[in-house]
């Protein structure tokens, strides 16, 4: 063959040294919105993309931000082509700085100064996450990739996996539907075949599309163009129907999703190194990035409320855990430990009065994830309990924060 047709393989580094990864774990959908709003107020109008896994979530987040006074636009597949084009042009030209989008937003986004990419929940795979987060800081300047992981992520992932997985019965059933229609002289379009598969198995369009793609790839069916559409016909070669690729595909989808969820909970090791180790097959990842919340705990914003919590933990010493501490901070005497131990006499009692107990719990969680607080298990009076202790960042980290 001519040298012109020889394949060339170009390789490069996976890691981008200017990207800092952060993960914040929350409980509820409302907590995700609060975390996004808090981050955007700190970001002060820098170019930002917020990714969500579904159109419904995109609309919900964008509506919340608009109601909160942010100038936000949304982008998803159900918008008209003209509206999508307008949003993309405005963002690329710098006339809009905040877009809430599904993964449909990305191809052709040639804006180098994106400083912040927020994920409102973990995408279905680390490939998706790495590609979307990698749109930040393409000019080489410092940028942040902020993932907010609610406890419902696992439920959402399972829901999408079930919607994407194709059972062997659906795979074989679709072939039978196409074959029977062709033998009857009434070959089906994709829409007609999808409707029949839905009637028989309750399959969704995504499952039909995946099954059709595998049948075409294996040579079981072929597409034939007619006047208005593509018709689905059995292949003349009569290739053997093999369900093994169907099973392998389902296992691969589940594995990728599980590893993505594991990343969302991985606060014990360097986040950039975790991504690199997953994406670079067969090679050892580089050392720690020195930028993520694990490598540099003190790069997490340490505000006035955070300082109050730390002082309260130091005042209470090594006695109380999260449950008591959050009620102590808001000044809630209805909690029996607060009353029985007369904790209202402490200097820091009620220092976060006016904040909800749930808000304070999330603040404690952030301080623990960022290394300002740690939660060892220790014995007191013969009983194993969990306490919060203050961990001071190094002087070097304090200087950088």
């Amino acid at each position: 063959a001519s040298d012109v047709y020889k394949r060339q393989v170009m390789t490069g580094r996976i890691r981008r040294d200017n990207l800092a990864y952060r993960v914040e774990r929350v409980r509820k959908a409302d907590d995700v919105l609060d975390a996004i709003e808090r981050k955007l107020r700190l970001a002060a109008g820098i170019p930002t993309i917020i990714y969500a896994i579904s159109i419904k979530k995109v609309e919900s987040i964008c509506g919340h931000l608009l109601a909160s006074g942010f100038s936000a636009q949304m982008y998803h597949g159900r918008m008209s082509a003209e509206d999508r084009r307008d949003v993309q042009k405005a963002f690329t030209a710098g006339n809009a700085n905040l877009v809430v989008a599904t993964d449909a937003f990305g191809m052709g986004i040639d804006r180098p100064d994106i400083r912040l990419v927020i994920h409102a929940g973990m995408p279905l795979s680390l490939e998706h996450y790495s590609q979307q987060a990698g749109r930040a800081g393409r000019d080489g300047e410092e940028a942040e990739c902020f993932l907010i992981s609610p406890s419902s992520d696992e439920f959402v992932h399972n829901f999408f996996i079930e919607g994407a997985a194709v059972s062997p019965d659906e795979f074989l059933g679709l072939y039978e539907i196409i074959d029977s229609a062709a033998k009857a002289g009434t070959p089906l379009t994709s829409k007609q075949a999808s409707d029949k598969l839905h009637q028989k198995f309750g399959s969704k369009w995504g499952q039909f599309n995946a099954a059709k793609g595998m049948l075409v790839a294996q040579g079981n069916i072929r597409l034939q163009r007619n006047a208005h559409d593509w018709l689905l016909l059995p292949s003349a070669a009569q290739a053997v129907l093999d369900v093994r690729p169907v099973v392998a595909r389902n296992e691969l989808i589940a594995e990728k999703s599980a590893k993505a969820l594991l990343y969302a909970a991985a606060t014990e090791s360097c986040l950039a190194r975790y991504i690199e180790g997953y994406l670079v097959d067969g090679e050892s990842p580089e050392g720690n990035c020195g930028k993520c919340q694990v490598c540099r705990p003190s790069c997490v914003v340490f505000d006035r409320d955070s300082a109050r919590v730390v002082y309260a933990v130091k005042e209470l010493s090594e006695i109380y855990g999260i449950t008591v501490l959050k009620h102590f901070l808001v000044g809630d005497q209805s909690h029996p430990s607060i009353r029985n131990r007369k904790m209202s006499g402490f200097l820091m009692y009620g220092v976060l009065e006016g904040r909800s107990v749930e808000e304070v719990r999330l603040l404690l969680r952030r301080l623990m994830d960022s290394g300002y607080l740690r939660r060892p298990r220790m014995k007191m009076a013969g009983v194993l309990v969990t306490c919060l202790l203050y961990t001071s960042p190094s002087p070097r980290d304090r200087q950088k924060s």
Side-chain angles (χ1 to χ4, degrees), residues 16-64:
R16 303 254 307 283
D17 292 334
N18 62 318
L19 299 186
Y21 295 95
R22 313 270 187 268
V23 175
E24 181 171 329
R25 293 173 291 178
V26 298
R27 281 192 177 180
K28 303 176 296 185
D30 289 346
D31 298 336
V32 174
L33 295 174
D34 290 343
I36 291 173
E37 186 174 342
R38 184 173 62 250
K39 175 61 73 173
L40 291 177
R41 295 200 186 283
L42 289 171
I46 62 176
T48 300
I49 302 175
I50 302 173
Y51 282 108
I53 201 169
S54 68
I55 292 173
K56 183 178 179 181
K57 287 185 180 295
V58 166
E59 293 175 340
S60 172
I61 293 168
C62 190
H64 174 83

Side-chain angles (χ1 to χ4, degrees), residues 100-381:
V100 187
T102 60
D103 60 3
F105 188 71
M107 298 300 291
I109 304 302
D110 186 21
R111 182 167 180 177
D113 66 337
I114 298 170
R115 301 267 71 86
L116 176 63
V117 173
I118 299 175
H119 279 83
M122 189 69 211
L124 287 180
S125 73
L126 278 173
E127 287 89 348
H128 283 88
Y129 177 70
S130 179
Q131 184 181 52
Q132 292 163 10
R135 294 188 177 115
R138 289 186 173 176
D139 56 2
E141 298 297 324
E142 297 291 315
E144 182 176 349
C145 308
F146 182 53
L147 167 65
I148 307 163
S149 177
S151 56
S152 59
D153 262 358
E154 185 173 358
F155 170 81
V156 173
H157 275 228
N158 289 337
F159 174 81
F160 276 95
I161 288 171
E162 290 173 5
V166 178
S167 71
D169 286 342
E170 287 172 312
F171 176 76
L172 298 172
L174 179 58
Y175 179 82
E176 291 174 4
I177 289 170
I178 294 169
D179 185 54
S180 297
K183 287 178 178 177
T186 55
L188 303 173
T189 65
S190 289
K191 176 65 168 61
Q192 292 167 335
S194 175
D195 289 344
K196 288 184 177 293
L197 192 68
H198 176 74
Q199 291 170 9
K200 190 169 184 178
F201 296 103
S203 307
K204 298 176 182 178
W205 175 258
Q207 291 166 314
F208 160 77
N209 233 14
K212 182 186 77 172
M214 285 187 284
L215 286 170
V216 171
Q218 290 185 191
N220 303 122
I221 66 171
R222 59 189 175 88
L223 306 180
Q224 178 178 296
R225 183 72 175 173
N226 70 355
H228 305 290
D229 209 337
W230 290 94
L231 299 177
L232 306 181
L233 298 168
S235 173
Q238 293 295 312
V240 176
L241 282 166
D242 188 358
V243 299
R244 288 176 297 178
V246 178
V247 176
R249 175 182 178 274
N250 294 341
E251 291 175 350
L252 181 62
I253 291 172
E255 180 186 2
K256 286 180 178 292
S257 181
K259 288 184 176 178
L261 287 169
L262 180 60
Y263 169 81
T267 54
E268 298 298 323
S269 60
C270 171
L271 301 178
R273 191 172 188 177
Y274 183 94
I275 294 175
E276 188 178 18
Y278 172 81
L279 295 177
V280 182
D281 187 24
E283 296 183 27
S284 299
E286 299 178 20
N288 292 347
C289 70
K291 292 179 178 293
C292 72
Q293 68 191 52
V294 177
C295 295
R296 279 191 60 203
S298 63
C299 64
V300 176
V301 174
F302 191 78
D303 56 16
R304 182 178 298 177
D305 285 347
S306 300
R308 289 169 172 169
V309 170
V310 166
Y311 282 123
V313 171
K314 293 177 74 174
E315 183 184 21
L316 295 175
S317 187
E318 303 176 0
I319 301 175
Y320 304 106
I322 292 178
T323 302
V324 174
L325 184 57
K326 63 187 181 184
H327 288 279
F328 171 83
L329 289 166
V330 300
D332 179 14
Q333 291 206 55
S334 65
H335 193 280
S337 291
I338 305 293
R339 295 195 310 270
N340 297 341
R341 298 174 184 178
K342 299 180 180 179
M343 295 173 66
S344 59
F346 282 90
L347 178 65
M348 301 304 290
Y349 173 76
V351 71
L352 295 184
E353 185 178 4
R355 303 284 294 273
S356 70
V357 172
E358 180 62 17
E359 284 179 306
V360 174
R361 184 195 67 78
L362 290 173
L363 176 57
L364 290 169
R365 181 77 260 177
R366 288 200 303 274
L367 289 171
M368 291 164 64
D369 284 345
S370 61
Y372 284 102
L373 299 178
R374 60 189 175 92
R375 186 168 61 172
R377 293 176 66 82
M378 56 203 316
K379 278 192 175 182
M380 291 184 181

